[in-house]
Amino acid sequence: MKKGRIVKALAGFYYIDDGKEVIQCRARGKFRKDDIKPVVGDYVDFEDQHDGDGYIMKIGERYNFLVRPPVANVDQALLVFSRQEPEFSTMLLDKFLLLIEYHHIKPIIVVSKMDLECDDHIEETIDAYQKAGYQVIKTSSKNNVGLEEIKAVFKDKVTVITGQSGVGKSSLLNALDIHLNLETNQISKALGRGKHTTRHVELLKMYDGYVADTPGFSSLELYMEPTDAARAYHDFDEYSQNCKFRGCLHDSEPQCGVKQAVEEGLISKERYEHYLIYLQELKKKKEKRYG
Ligand SMILES: Nc1nc2c(ncn2[C@@H]2O[C@H](COP(=O)(O)OP(=O)(O)OP(=O)(O)O)[C@@H](O)[C@H]2O)c(=O)[nH]1
Ligand SMILES: [Mg+2]
Ligand SMILES: [Zn+2]
């Protein structure tokens, strides 16, 4: 039996890197029965048939698993948000951060298309997220800005590049490595959003790390418990030490450390308001599930 890591999944085939070469494999039917499917990033045991085909026999334990995009064993995520086209949305960014931090994946915020100058408050926004403790990298694939900073974060890590369709994820990777030639697309001007150019997930070896370009999305679903959401943001979690009640959702509970921090200006009011919206969404979902 050989061991390796799935670096690509496409049309029912899995491509496994064993450190020397990449072998094309299929999954055994038994995985489907157990309702678990191999995903990119999985460590697997496989049988090499030596005819260019093999079979995945066992999926190793995952230390985390992202549903969208489907990738396992991820260290960090570049959350790519364009300054324009599509327009930067802190509401969506906060949703994303909630999801990524819930999975214990380190988020790195990338503000792409910085060359599209306009009358926004992008610097203030960036400042606010940096104050909250997030690393923010400004890039322009068009003008080759911020690329060295991106290369530096790839080293020794598995990084997923994610974000809405059309924000420039594939363009960023192409700018980092001119030989990559990933397909990119012209954004639909009428809709102000992209048309899903990237269609599969693949781990690429880049700058001493593994990097996954992923298909963009147009909407993002939250699926955690309300109590998990209350603990997801690293900065909220810090102040929740001062909450009187265990399992405080930082909503209507008295003596809440997070609300206190918002009042004192230590947590941005806007982020807290976004959090409350997502918390309501999750509570409603839970009610539906349990009646
Ligand atoms: N002005 C400007 N345009 C950019 C930049 N980066 C990407 N674009 C444009 O944005 C559009 C979408 O780029 P893609 O790289 O295909 O976006 P994507 O995020 O990979 O999209 P999906 O694969 O659909 O998720 C293309 O028309 C790019 O030329 C940039 O830095 N500046
Ligand atoms: Mg793409
Ligand atoms: Zn609280």
Side-chain angles (χ1 to χ4, degrees):
M1 198 85 75
K2 287 177 133 190
K3 285 179 189 298
R5 186 165 205 179
I6 303 178
V7 292
K8 182 170 149 184
L10 192 64
F13 286 104
Y14 299 91
Y15 297 83
I16 300 172
D17 186 349
D18 70 352
K20 281 184 248 123
E21 53 177 349
V22 174
I23 300 110
Q24 176 180 298
C25 286
R26 286 168 216 266
R28 278 260 184 242
K30 106 181 196 352
F31 295 124
R32 240 165 283 152
K33 230 177 38 218
D34 295 347
D35 207 23
I36 123 161
K37 248 177 95 176
V39 296
V40 169
D42 267 331
Y43 293 104
V44 295
D45 292 352
F46 67 100
E47 239 163 40
D48 193 351
Q49 310 283 99
H50 300 289
D51 55 359
D53 247 25
Y55 278 103
I56 296 176
M57 305 304 288
K58 197 176 154 213
I59 303 172
E61 206 177 315
R62 296 169 178 162
Y63 62 81
N64 61 31
F65 173 53
L66 260 181
V67 179
R68 252 188 113 169
V71 193
N73 306 316
V74 178
D75 296 313
Q76 56 189 14
L78 295 191
L79 310 186
V80 184
F81 278 72
S82 49
R83 182 178 188 175
Q84 287 288 318
E85 297 177 19
E87 203 177 319
F88 195 96
S89 159
T90 53
M91 177 89 191
L92 187 62
L93 176 55
D94 286 333
K95 193 174 189 179
F96 231 110
L97 288 169
L98 197 61
L99 201 64
I100 295 293
E101 291 197 277
Y102 162 68
H103 283 289
H104 302 288
I105 294 168
K106 185 190 173 198
I108 297 169
I109 301 167
V110 175
V111 185
S112 63
K113 308 195 191 183
M114 279 301 288
D115 55 281
L116 295 179
E117 283 177 33
C118 58
D119 195 13
D120 54 12
H121 303 281
I122 197 70
E123 295 297 342
E124 282 165 42
T125 305
I126 290 170
D127 247 27
Y129 282 93
Q130 282 173 332
K131 278 210 189 91
Y134 296 104
Q135 182 177 357
V136 185
I137 303 177
K138 295 186 271 187
T139 65
S140 164
S141 306
K142 195 175 162 203
N143 297 343
N144 291 326
V145 170
L147 303 184
E148 291 309 314
E149 239 181 301
I150 300 276
K151 286 178 196 172
V153 301
F154 284 170
K155 195 172 168 6
D156 300 329
K157 297 277 197 301
V158 172
T159 308
V160 160
I161 312 228
T162 175
Q164 271 179 290
S165 198
V167 293
K169 299 179 292 298
S170 302
S171 302
L172 181 62
L173 291 180
N174 283 341
L176 287 164
D177 182 347
I178 51 164
H179 303 295
L180 262 182
N181 256 319
L182 297 172
E183 198 190 341
T184 64
N185 208 339
Q186 214 47 40
I187 193 153
S188 154
K189 291 268 184 222
L191 292 170
R193 52 181 143 99
K195 290 180 294 189
H196 301 284
T197 309
T198 305
R199 292 183 181 280
H200 69 277
V201 182
E202 180 172 1
L203 283 181
L204 308 160
K205 265 204 178 123
M206 282 181 91
Y207 300 101
D208 299 321
Y210 268 123
V211 180
D213 186 17
T214 70
F217 53 86
S218 35
S219 69
L220 190 67
E221 177 115 18
L222 292 176
Y223 43 73
M224 70 212 58
E225 292 292 322
T227 46
D228 291 329
R231 283 192 302 250
Y233 291 132
H234 71 272
D235 52 332
F236 283 30
D237 201 37
E238 195 185 314
Y239 296 112
S240 71
Q241 313 291 326
N242 305 327
C243 297
K244 182 166 182 209
F245 296 100
R246 280 189 60 173
C248 178
L249 298 177
H250 325 310
D251 184 8
S252 49
E253 296 90 345
Q255 297 187 44
C256 165
V258 171
K259 275 194 283 184
Q260 178 77 27
V262 174
E263 267 159 42
E264 287 171 17
L266 299 167
I267 290 176
S268 128
K269 198 158 190 292
E270 190 193 57
R271 275 193 81 207
Y272 175 66
E273 279 163 5
H274 292 166
Y275 163 76
L276 287 181
I277 292 168
Y278 295 131
L279 183 69
Q280 286 313 317
E281 204 177 299
L282 290 166
K283 277 185 178 170
K284 271 200 200 121
K285 261 188 207 162
K286 191 174 177 178
E287 273 166 30
K288 258 195 205 152
R289 258 182 291 144
Y290 298 108

